[in-house]
Amino acid sequence: MIELSDIHRDFQVGDQKVHALDGVSLTIGAGEYLSIMGPSGSGKSTLLNLIGLLDRPTSGVYRLDGQDVTALSDRQQAEVRNQRIGFVFQAFHLVPRLTAAENVELPLILAGVPPVQRGQRVEQALAAMSLSDRSRHKPEQLSGGQRQRVAIARATVMQPTVLMADEPTGNLDHKSGQDVVRILEQLSSNGITLIVVTHDGEIGRRARRQLHMLDGRLESDSGTGNA
Amino acid sequence: MALATRDIVRFGWGALRGYPARATLMLIAMAIGVGAVVVLTSLGEGARRYVSGEFASLGTNLVIVIPGRSETAGISPTTLMGETPRPLTLQDALALKRSYSVHRIAPLNIGSAKVNWQGRSRDVVILGSSSELLDLRHWSMAQGHFLPPVDLERAVPVAVIGKKIRDELFGARRAIGEWLRIGDRRFRVIGVLATAGRSMGTDVDEVVIIPVASAQQLFNTESLFRILVEASSRAAIGPVKQYAIDTLQERHQGKKDVTVITQDAVLATFDRILGALTYAVGGIAAISLAVAGILIMNVMLVAVSQRTAEIGLLKALGATPRQIVVLILAEAMLLSVLGAGTGLLLGELGSLLIRHLFPILPAYAPLWAVAMALLVALFAGLLFSLLPARRAARLDPVLALSGR
Ligand SMILES: Nc1ncnc2c1ncn2[C@@H]1O[C@H](COP(=O)(O)OP(=O)(O)OP(=O)(O)O)[C@@H](O)[C@H]1O
Ligand SMILES: [Mg+2]
C-alpha cells in the first residue's frame, strides 16, 4: 500500500528551481498494475525514484504499508529497498564482471542470506525467467532481452511486494520487449504491485490503471482498476 | 544486515580482477614500499652486525692503552696511527698487571721484517706479545704451542706462525721445531695458529708472533705499540680503565700522555651510528609507503568514479552506506595485503641476494622493520581508502544510475 500526499521534489539548477514534482498525491493498492506515461521531462522517473526510496521528496508525506518512510534513516531505507522493492532499469545495470547467477545473488548477499540458501533461490529466480542454462554467462554473452530477464530475476529474488520498471523495454527490440512485458504481467498476476514507466502507449495501455503526467503533476488517472 | 567476510573478499577480489591495470599499479607501489623497507633495513642492520662482530672478535671486555694523548678522549687519527710522543714501556704493562680486576694483559709490538727459511723468504708483519695474547684474542692453535708463559722481559727465541706463512715457507713439510731467520735473528717455530680470519686489519694467517722482548730487540725499540688489557668482567671495564689512566699518569711523572679506550665505548659509538642509519633508511622507505598510500587514494577515487553505476546499483539493491564503505575498504585492503605480501617476498629475496653477494654482511631485516612495514602498509591502505569509500557511500543513487 503506497500513499503519497502532496509530494514536491525541487531541483536547484544554478539559480533556477526546477519543480520536477509539483504536488503529487496518489494511492496505490497492493497488487495493482499501473503504468505512468507522459512527455519527456514530466517527472515520471523522479516519481518512480521517490516511490522506490532512491530519492527523498522536498516536501510531502510518503507512507509505505502505513509507515512514514520519508522519516527513515539511509540505513533503514536501504533495508526497505532490499526487502520490499525491486527495480528494473532501461539500461539493465548488470555488473559486467559478474555472471548472471552472481548478479542475481547480489541482493541476497546484501541481505546476509547464508550461502546454502542463496544458491537455491538464485536458481529458482533464473528458472522462472527461463534462464537456467545461462546462469554462468556474463552479461556481454547475453542478448538484450536475456539481460533484462536477468535484471528481473535479480529484482524479484528477494520476493519484494513492489516491482518498479523505468522504461524496461526502452533498449529492446519489439519482440524481446513483448517478452519482458509478458513476464512482468505474469509477476503482477502472481500478486506483486507493478509500476511501469513507459513512453510506449501500446505497453502503457495494457496496465489496468494508467497515469499521465505533465510538468510534474498528475494530469490524468484512469482510477483504481482493482484495489 | 552484516556482510559475510567471505562475500566481501570475493566481491573485492572480483572488482580488482575487473581492473587489472589499476590493481597491478597499486600492488607494485605497495610492494616497492614494503620491499624497500625490508631491503634497506636489512642492509643497515647487516652493516651494524658486521661491525659489532668485528669488534667482538677483538676480544672480550677489552681495555686498550695507546701511547699519546687524545684531546677528546676518543679516537683520533693520530692515536689510531700509533704515533709515539712518549713511549709506553714493558714496565708500564707490568704495572697494569697488578690490579685484581685485570684478567689478562698483552703488550703489543708491531713491525715488519724479512722471514727466511732455507732460502725461501718473504716480508711479514711481526707481532711481539705475551702468552696471554692467544686467549685474549680468542685465537686457537692448529699445531704446537703458543708463546710460553715466561717473564715478559725474557727474549726467548721462539716464534708462532700463521697458516699462510707456514704454507709459503714450508709447504707440506713440518714446520714445528724448524729454525727461522727473522731479520738478523734466529727463532724456533713452536706453533701454527688456526685460521681466525681478518680482524681489525690484521690477517692472522699472515703474521709471525714472537715474545715482546724479542721484538723489542729485533726492532731496537723500548716502546710498545699498544697494551691490550682484558678486564675480569664487563663490570670491571670502567674501573680498569680508570686504574690504567691513574697508574700510567703516576708512572709518567703526572703527565696524562696515554689514551685509554674501551672496546665497549667504540662499539657503542658504532652501534649508535649504524643503528641510526638503519632507522634513517627505514624512515626513508616508510615515506615511499606513504607515497604508495596516496597513490592508493587517488586510484581508489578513480575506481569509485569509474564504478559509479555499480555503486548506485548496489544502493538500489539495498546496500546500506556502511556496506558500501566496507566493500570499498575491503577492496583497498585486499590490494594492500597482496602488495605488502609481494613486497615482503621481494624484500626478503633482495636481502638474500645481498647476503649472497656480500657473504660477510649478515643482512637480515630486523623484525621491527618488517612488522612496521606491514603495519604501515595496511594502515596506509586503510587510511587512504577511507575518503574514496566515504565518497562512494554518499553517492546519490539516482544520479549514479542515470549516468548524469
Ligand atoms: N538531478 C536533477 N537535477 C536537476 N534537475 C533534474 C534532476 N533530475 C531531474 N531533473 C529535472 O526534473 C524534471 C523531471 O525529470 P524526470 O527524469 O523525472 O523526467 P521523465 O519524465 O522521467 O523524462 P524522460 O521521459 O525523458 O525519462 C526534468 O525537467 C529534469 O530536467
Ligand atoms: Mg525518465
Side-chain angles (χ1 to χ4, degrees):
Chain A
M1 181 80 158
I2 295 165
E3 294 170 273
L4 303 175
S5 49
D6 200 25
I7 295 285
H8 289 257
R9 179 65 169 102
D10 301 334
F11 290 104
Q12 194 73 43
V13 181
D15 45 21
Q16 217 185 336
K17 222 175 213 169
V18 179
H19 302 283
L21 292 179
D22 196 7
V24 174
S25 297
L26 175 66
T27 303
I28 303 169
E32 273 200 76
Y33 174 15
L34 184 135
S35 68
I36 304 176
M37 288 177 283
S40 186
S42 56
K44 307 180 295 290
S45 294
T46 305
L47 179 61
L48 202 72
N49 292 334
L50 268 169
I51 296 173
L53 294 176
L54 289 178
D55 197 8
R56 290 173 185 269
T58 312
S59 68
V61 179
Y62 169 19
R63 286 176 199 282
L64 182 63
D65 297 329
Q67 181 187 22
D68 182 358
V69 285
T70 49
L72 297 180
S73 69
D74 283 353
R75 189 181 59 78
Q76 289 166 322
Q77 285 201 346
E79 278 174 35
V80 173
R81 277 201 299 276
N82 182 254
Q83 303 289 327
R84 289 196 258 168
I85 298 169
F87 288 97
V88 176
F89 306 95
Q90 177 176 354
F92 320 134
H93 286 305
L94 299 178
V95 180
R97 63 167 185 277
L98 301 181
T99 64
E102 286 166 341
N103 266 288
V104 175
E105 195 183 5
L106 281 176
L108 298 167
I109 291 175
L110 293 172
V113 175
V116 268
Q117 296 171 32
R118 286 199 310 239
Q120 202 188 353
R121 286 173 71 172
V122 168
E123 236 169 77
Q124 281 173 357
L126 282 172
M129 299 297 130
S130 336
L131 282 171
S132 295
D133 54 340
R134 293 283 185 275
S135 67
R136 287 171 188 280
H137 289 223
K138 295 270 174 72
E140 65 192 15
Q141 298 162 328
L142 299 171
S143 72
Q146 289 170 333
R147 285 183 214 183
Q148 196 59 302
R149 271 145 56 200
V150 173
I152 296 170
R154 183 178 64 191
T156 52
V157 74
M158 290 297 291
Q159 303 188 316
T161 52
V162 186
L163 184 61
M164 321 248 228
D166 195 348
E167 318 251 15
T169 60
N171 282 6
L172 299 178
D173 59 57
H174 186 71
K175 160 102 180 28
S176 320
Q178 283 198 321
D179 287 348
V180 164
V181 169
R182 236 193 330 275
I183 288 167
L184 292 176
E185 288 176 354
Q186 178 69 45
L187 289 165
S188 160
S189 65
N190 289 346
I192 206 166
T193 307
L194 177 65
I195 306 174
V196 180
V197 167
T198 183
H199 271 122
D200 187 336
E202 192 189 326
I203 291 170
R205 276 189 294 277
R206 295 172 65 104
R208 265 176 299 246
R209 183 176 172 192
Q210 295 156 28
L211 257 50
H212 282 267
M213 291 192 68
L214 192 64
D215 293 338
R217 294 167 190 274
L218 284 182
E219 191 205 29
S220 75
D221 182 351
S222 70
T224 43
N226 62 339
Chain B
M1 294 193 288
L3 290 168
T5 313
R6 221 192 59 160
D7 290 324
I8 297 172
V9 171
R10 201 165 56 119
F11 191 85
W13 180 240
L16 290 180
R17 290 211 324 196
Y19 301 83
R22 171 168 80 75
T24 312
L25 182 73
M26 276 174 65
L27 202 98
I28 289 173
M30 209 36 127
I32 287 175
V34 172
V37 172
V38 172
V39 167
L40 291 181
T41 55
S42 79
L43 207 58
E45 181 71 1
R48 195 185 66 78
R49 284 211 235 168
Y50 169 69
V51 171
S52 302
E54 281 288 279
F55 271 90
S57 74
L58 205 60
T60 317
N61 302 333
L62 271 195
V63 175
I64 302 163
V65 182
I66 303 170
R69 183 172 170 196
S70 150
E71 295 301 325
T72 55
I75 18 172
S76 74
T78 47
T79 56
L80 277 184
M81 296 309 287
E83 281 179 23
T84 340
R86 186 194 176 90
L88 203 55
T89 64
L90 263 185
Q91 279 64 41
D92 289 335
L94 286 168
L96 293 181
K97 180 95 207 223
R98 276 180 220 123
S99 164
Y100 284 123
S101 303
V102 171
H103 187 44
R104 294 192 177 99
I105 198 154
L108 208 60
N109 229 327
I110 193 161
S112 176
K114 187 155 283 200
V115 174
N116 190 304
W117 183 75
Q118 291 190 356
R120 300 192 206 193
S121 77
R122 63 164 283 184
D123 281 311
V124 176
V125 174
I126 310 289
L127 294 182
S129 193
S130 68
S131 64
E132 294 186 338
L133 183 69
L134 182 75
D135 290 332
L136 190 144
R137 296 294 303 266
H138 303 315
W139 288 338
S140 57
M141 302 301 295
Q143 290 162 7
H145 303 283
F146 198 66
L147 300 178
V150 294
D151 196 344
L152 283 186
E153 280 152 323
R154 273 188 61 194
V156 188
V158 293
V160 174
I161 62 176
K163 254 192 168 147
K164 195 163 170 204
I165 303 291
R166 182 202 54 191
D167 293 346
E168 285 182 9
L169 291 182
F170 299 97
R173 268 169 290 182
R174 185 176 164 80
I176 308 283
E178 294 297 318
W179 286 86
L180 284 177
R181 176 166 288 281
I182 304 176
D184 55 357
R185 286 156 192 276
R186 279 158 50 87
F187 293 84
R188 205 161 68 91
V189 178
I190 56 168
V192 179
L193 282 170
T195 302
R198 282 187 78 83
S199 78
M200 298 314 292
T202 41
D203 189 338
V204 174
D205 287 347
E206 291 191 74
V207 293
V208 167
I209 303 168
I210 58 178
V212 65
S214 305
Q216 285 182 322
Q217 289 174 5
L218 187 66
F219 300 123
N220 190 25
T221 174
E222 281 288 294
S223 62
L224 296 174
F225 172 68
R226 295 272 189 279
I227 301 172
L228 304 179
V229 183
E230 183 182 328
S232 56
S233 67
R234 200 181 167 80
I237 292 174
V240 166
K241 178 182 178 180
Q242 196 54 48
Y243 170 75
I245 291 171
D246 296 346
T247 309
L248 294 175
Q249 186 178 357
E250 196 178 307
R251 290 181 51 80
H252 293 187
Q253 293 85 43
K255 293 205 180 95
K256 290 192 177 176
D257 58 0
V258 297
T259 303
V260 180
I261 59 174
T262 63
Q263 184 189 8
D264 260 25
V266 178
L267 197 61
T269 308
F270 270 100
D271 216 58
R272 262 204 312 281
I273 294 170
L274 293 168
L277 194 76
T278 304
Y279 282 117
V281 294
I284 291 167
I287 292 171
S288 75
L289 269 182
V291 172
I294 291 170
L295 191 68
I296 284 189
M297 174 163 73
N298 284 295
V299 171
M300 287 309 289
L301 282 175
V302 173
V304 167
S305 58
Q306 256 180 353
R307 301 222 306 270
T308 303
E310 180 184 321
I311 292 161
L313 170 79
L314 287 176
K315 288 193 148 189
L317 296 180
T320 63
R322 213 191 139 102
Q323 285 178 327
I324 302 278
V325 168
V326 166
L327 286 176
I328 300 290
L329 285 188
E331 197 178 317
M333 287 307 285
L334 213 57
L335 261 189
S336 302
V337 169
L338 287 177
T342 311
L344 189 62
L345 202 74
L346 288 180
E348 292 294 357
L349 280 178
S351 33
L352 192 73
L353 190 70
I354 292 172
R355 295 199 293 272
H356 188 73
L357 293 179
F358 310 98
I360 54 161
L361 269 193
Y364 294 92
L367 204 63
W368 64 262
V370 173
M372 184 203 74
L374 293 181
L375 275 179
V376 170
L378 299 189
F379 185 72
L382 193 69
L383 186 76
F384 286 105
S385 53
L386 266 179
L387 179 76
R390 285 257 192 88
R391 186 167 292 184
R394 274 202 299 263
L395 265 183
D396 176 355
V398 175
L399 287 183
L401 286 168
S402 70
R404 259 187 284 207

